[in-house]
Amino acid sequence: MKTIGCIIYAVLFTMPLCAAETGSTSELGKLYVTLDSLLDNRERIYSEKEKRIEVVRAGLDDPRLGDSERYALQDRLYNEYCAFKYDSAYKYVMSNVVTAQKLGDASKEALSKLHLAHILSVSGLFDQAELTLNELNPDQLDDKTKVEYYNQLGELNLFQSEFAVNTRYFNLYHDRAQTYRQQIIDTADPTTFEYGFSQAVFLCENGKVKEAINRLETLLKTLREGERNYSIVTSTLAYFYDHLKNGQKKEYYLLLSAISDSRAAIAENNALRELSAILLAKGDTDRAFRYLNEAIENANFYGTMLRNQQAAALVPGIVKAYDSMKTTQSNHARWLIICLSIVTLMLVVAVFMMLRYLKKRKEANQKVREMNQLLNDNLKQLEETSTKMKESNTIKDEYIGRFLDLCSSYIDSADEQRKLENRLARDKKLPELYAELKSTKYITELTTMFYQNFDNTFLKIYPTFVEEVNNLLEPQNRTEVKGEKLNTELRVLALIRLGISDNQKIASILRSSITTIYTYRSKLKAKAIRKETFEDEVRMIESFV
């Protein structure tokens, strides 16, 4: 278990920021602020990356493009998508296998198949990855390609060992990974990254963790920020320090990995999930929940089940911590109500005494009426505050419950999709598999499921929402919903009622462009009876509480 972890960490994390010599509490705090800021801008970062990729992809449309140039562009697109979107990476590496065969270039074909094996391993299609690697003869490969060949075999066995923990197959996969790592050391140039990194891993496995750390920190100085190898080293250092029970250093290097992943739009990562577990143990439930949610979103965006399964394992702990937090809040609220009741009782007694004392005096009666009015106002304000607290708690409970159900449904649905694709791949029905991967039906179904859950949850909390909105519109402009509980216009207003006013966030949730959302809001205001205060009146629509 201890030995295999060294290499597993090397494979799991991606893209670095910059290493530092210390991991003090204040430094960790600054890194968390940086990470939170990057997560807030996730949609913008992903959008910019997709624009850069599209510039490269457009080159494939040139009819004058030769096979060699096409291979180079497709290889570049594979590298862009490798840790960003699984299905796109798979598409371009498969195209490169075919292109290399057309060129009759055995070296390019071998390299493309090694890339294909990596993508299949990451997706959990271990049998297909093994079949792909078995097509290659290491004796016919040059030393550089041979090192990559042994690296992919080691990676495949690492993922298999990860799934085989606590079974009799674990040692089998572990020993195979060890064998391939040794072959890398025997084959690689001593000046290369692969050689130095492999040596450090072996030191860790032999119990020489401090020496392994020194080697990796020395190796780190030769790498540049933003390189994948830099990220591999920093993430592996996180494990090494965990082996030494140095939780602060482990957290420090995980933060570097997570920040780099977020800055470079890396979706195939584990750092956020690991940080979520650390934060949960510290009692920082809100941030732990956010990071786990981001990890699940990244896994869904990347498109394979491996990371989703790992993130799902943390959900029960998050739920348990949330329940504990809610119990504590309820106890605090109970004591607050008791104190307020005592204060209110004291005020009532005081009013009663003053009424008796000032009964026959006209001026005193006026003062008593004023105090009575003040007390009524305070009680009314207290009642309004209590109502708002009930509504807030109901909304949180309802949406968190729905969110967990939806996550579970997405995981089940994604698992069914994985099984279907695995079955097609196993039966070598490549046309059907390609059609399944290309189809948008799966995303459409999940989007429909999301809208249904959103509509049901929202209307459960605001059952008269549609009617109240129509009352704010001119009679000829009132909305009629057909075939669904809410349409897009009403969903925009529903998000505004929930406190989400930013067009970017609304567009992201409803999978629309910012321009579309802006147009909807402008048209709705134009239809309103009181145009200037329309959205403020929507925010005041009451729930069932």
Side-chain angles (χ1 to χ4, degrees), residues 56 59-60 65 68-78:
V56 180
L60 293 175
L65 201 64
S68 295
E69 292 82 2
R70 182 172 297 278
Y71 179 92
L73 284 176
Q74 290 173 164
D75 188 61
R76 184 176 173 186
L77 287 168
Y78 160 78

Side-chain angles (χ1 to χ4, degrees), residues 92-154:
Y92 289 112
V93 75
M94 285 296 294
S95 296
N96 254 3
V97 171
V98 176
T99 304
Q101 291 171 345
K102 288 175 62 178
L103 287 168
D105 191 326
S107 177
K108 284 185 171 61
E109 182 179 354
L111 186 60
S112 297
K113 287 185 176 180
L114 289 173
H115 291 166
L116 176 60
H118 168 73
I119 288 298
L120 293 171
S121 295
V122 170
S123 69
L125 298 175
F126 302 136
D127 55 341
Q128 294 302 313
E130 187 171 3
L131 287 173
T132 301
L133 291 170
N134 287 342
E135 294 176 6
L136 301 175
N137 183 352
D139 295 332
Q140 298 176 356
L141 304 176
D142 59 62
D143 284 349
K144 184 176 180 181
T145 308
K146 190 181 295 184
V147 168
E148 179 64 17
Y149 171 76
Y150 291 137
N151 185 58
Q152 291 305 321
L153 281 170

